[in-house]
Amino acid sequence: MFLREAWYVPVGIARQYGTGTALRRRQLSQLNGMLAHARAHVPYYRDDPAYHRHPGPLRDLAELAELPVIDKEVLRGHPLEDLVADGVRHEELPTFRTSGSTGRRVTVVHDRRSHDYHLACCVRRFLATGRYLPTDRLSHIRPFAPPSRGYEKAGLFRRHVLLTDRPMDGIKAELLTARPQVLIGYPVHLRALLRALTPGELELLRRTLKLVLTESELLVDAHRALFRREFGAPVHDEYSAFEVLNIAYDCKHGRAHLAEDRLLVEIIGPDGRPVEDGREGRVTATAFMERAMPLVRYDLGDVGLIDPEPCPCGRRFRTLRLTAGRVNDSVLLPTGRQLYPDTFLHLAATFPGIAECGVYQNAEGAVRLSVVPSEPADPSPEAWADLCERVSERLLTVAGCAFPLEIVRVASVEITAGGKGRFVTSELTPPPSVGAAGPA
């Protein structure tokens, strides 16, 4: 509801600056409320003995680690009725459907209270940049258009959506007409936009643009620098997932603050137990405000760490640093080592002649690197052979071992059903010891 969402805006802003003690107290209280609800009303948790070994409330946040870790395969392997609360009519609630490399769709349902709080907290995401004003003209390049909000009629938080299923020339023309002050998009679409803009058109866009926001995909440092340089504006990222909505957002210092007033994030090791701050591990999240479809210790499939240093912006929420792409979106080498998407994204950011690239590894371990040339015209056979030789040399050096590698020229990278750039797809199943995070 609009009134509830409006009330949550100042609440969400204020909670960033509360005391650490109050924040942990809120997290523990909300977690216990969600767990009690899940055990009583959600078939998946009600029927699994692991969630009833300690039926009472958690005494501290560390006890959450005694519960199993779940992942997307759990969502795929169970009917929706097992995962939503008794009596939930998902067609009447905010519902998202995603698909991965297998094409099997995952449905996630959010209750209205939790979703309204998430939407309200998007305001603090914008304000945290230190540059956004509620009256700014904002253009959003995305695969689908959200419903318009009542406050947009009053000229606040206006969003001009450019759908990505259109030709880039059409997106570019509409964007130049809109003359936005803020531009939001997936990194893959922003890079495509930069390739489509002429120097004169880019200069016209830069005259009004004061902020660039990225979302949904891994933003590597090289691409952040590219956007800042070409668009001539600061770049701030958001980390989110359809399953738990917003996870972290950048402040003006470029630190990604976790939305700790609505979820608890753990960084876990291969045994499913949390690691100490500053150590790398798998990112899991428990969105404790959810009641329609609670997800307890949900493994997001990303690799990151909690920065132990406090942020100078004054927010009490801890900060997260993603250190690699998704664990299941990686190339597995013969040595057992994994190459994450940032390795291949870095090629596109630094190699002359490469605009984009995508990676596919088959079940036998052979790797096909699909390269989109940076120039409209195809490179000459000699230039292409030279590029392939240099790319192969770079990848084999980074890998530290030989592996089957084929480089092919393509017109565009693969885009997922959700509109994201799918940079690495691997059919090779790693052994359990590689990147595994099983139940505690």
Side-chain angles (χ1 to χ4, degrees), residues 34 45 60 122 125-126 132 156 189 282 285 381 398-399 407 410:
M34 187 267 279
Y45 301 106
D60 58 58
C122 288
R125 168 201 172 190
F126 295 142
Y132 178 83
L156 299 175
H189 298 136
R282 300 274 289 259
V398 171
I407 302 176
V410 297

Side-chain angles (χ1 to χ4, degrees), residues 193-209:
L193 173 65
L194 284 175
R195 294 198 299 274
L197 291 167
T198 67
E201 290 168 338
L202 181 58
E203 178 58 33
L204 181 64
L205 184 62
R206 289 171 59 126
R207 290 177 188 175
T208 58
L209 199 61

